[in-house]
Amino acid sequence: MLDACRDTTLIILMVAAAASLALGIKTEGIKEGWYDGGSIALAVIIVIVVTAISDYKQSLQFQNLNEEKQNIHLEVVRGGRRIEISIFDIVVGDVIPLKIGDHVPADGVLISGHSLSIDESSMTGESKIVHKDHKNPFLMSGCKVADGYGTMLATSVGIHTEWGLLMASISEDNDEETPLRVRLNGVATFIGIVGLVVAVSVLVILLVRGINVNSSSNGFFTGHTEDDEGRIEVIAGKTSVGDAVDGAIKIFTAAFLFYPSN
């Protein structure tokens, strides 16, 4: 809900709704004066609620999909018996068989194996395949078995593995934007600037030429704009400042409805 309320357009519409509500109640009374401002406020509330619910559902779906994708089942030797468990249930001391195509599920040491070769590019960035034997027995979580087979003893699991520490450090630096996000933000900023220019232009035109939102006449500040009953809205030296400001607020509200959502 809070993220949805941070949208610039909704903030402007909230201000416009408050101004329109106050102006309408002042000029037309509470029975009929709340229509315009109340309608805008209701629309803003609906947009906020729908956006928040949609984002929340998408977040849950993505989280469930990500968990299901990562929830790999594998066989381990525990207590002298071979059992099938989830990758999230591996504990230190489990003996894990490895074969070609498997990903190393935890940090550990090689117990036995034959021609076991590991692709450690995900950790080291080097594409060279590393051969594992009793001279080089250490295995890192997240690496892939490129050749051979073997059995490892888990020594670190979860966040305590090299892969877990790497992911934790990356998550701490997640303020860095991806190239796609930079481009999308650039497009959103451009659209916002264009919308702001259009809104300001409409506001200036309405104020200078006086094209009132409720009348086809012109000259709001020059004495030519008429209200719905054909009366001149602003007469120099006679119209109160409050009435002129009320009309200007109506124009402001109408103009900034042209401002698009990012």
Side-chain angles (χ1 to χ4, degrees), residues 14-249:
M14 290 176 192
V15 175
S20 179
L21 191 61
L23 178 61
I25 293 176
K26 176 184 176 182
T27 56
E28 301 178 14
I30 191 171
K31 290 185 177 180
E32 297 183 357
W34 66 271
Y35 291 157
D36 292 340
S39 300
I40 298 175
L42 179 61
V44 170
I45 292 173
I46 292 175
V47 170
I48 291 175
V49 172
V50 171
T51 301
I53 294 175
S54 177
D55 290 346
Y56 179 68
K57 288 184 176 180
Q58 290 180 4
S59 177
L60 287 182
Q61 291 175 355
F62 177 78
Q63 182 178 353
N64 294 334
L65 180 62
N66 194 42
E67 290 179 355
E68 187 65 26
K69 179 182 177 182
Q70 296 178 352
N71 188 17
I72 302 171
H73 286 78
L74 70 164
E75 289 187 344
V76 301
V77 178
R78 182 183 295 175
R81 294 184 302 171
R82 184 182 291 264
I83 59 175
E84 182 176 332
I85 63 173
S86 168
I87 193 173
F88 299 118
D89 296 330
I90 295 176
V91 297
V92 174
D94 282 342
V95 176
I96 307 168
L98 299 174
K99 60 182 181 298
I100 296 178
D102 288 347
H103 283 82
V104 181
D107 285 359
V109 294
L110 180 66
I111 298 176
S112 62
H114 177 72
S115 302
L116 184 64
S117 299
I118 304 295
D119 181 5
E120 297 183 347
S121 58
S122 60
M123 290 296 298
T124 63
E126 299 179 359
S127 59
K128 183 179 179 181
I129 303 300
V130 181
H131 179 69
K132 296 295 180 178
D133 52 24
H134 67 282
K135 295 182 180 180
N136 183 20
F138 299 105
L139 302 172
M140 291 184 292
S141 174
C143 298
K144 187 176 182 180
V145 179
D147 192 15
Y149 61 89
T151 303
M152 64 170 286
L153 174 68
T155 58
S156 298
V157 297
I159 191 64
H160 302 291
T161 63
E162 293 294 331
W163 178 261
L165 295 175
L166 177 62
M167 291 299 101
S169 64
I170 291 176
S171 63
E172 292 176 356
D173 298 332
N174 57 2
D175 292 337
E176 183 178 356
E177 295 184 340
T178 62
L180 177 59
R181 182 179 296 180
V182 171
R183 290 188 179 185
L184 292 177
N185 289 341
V187 173
T189 302
F190 175 76
I191 294 175
I193 292 175
V194 172
L196 182 61
V197 171
V198 172
V200 172
S201 300
V202 172
L203 177 62
V204 171
I205 291 173
L206 291 177
L207 290 176
V208 173
R209 296 185 60 86
I211 304 174
N212 186 265
V213 294
N214 297 321
S215 174
S216 59
S217 304
N218 56 30
F220 181 74
F221 286 112
T222 57
H224 294 92
T225 299
E226 299 176 352
D227 58 19
D228 295 335
E229 299 179 0
R231 295 173 299 186
I232 300 297
E233 289 194 310
V234 177
I235 302 176
K238 295 184 179 180
T239 303
S240 65
V241 175
D243 292 338
V245 171
D246 290 345
I249 292 177

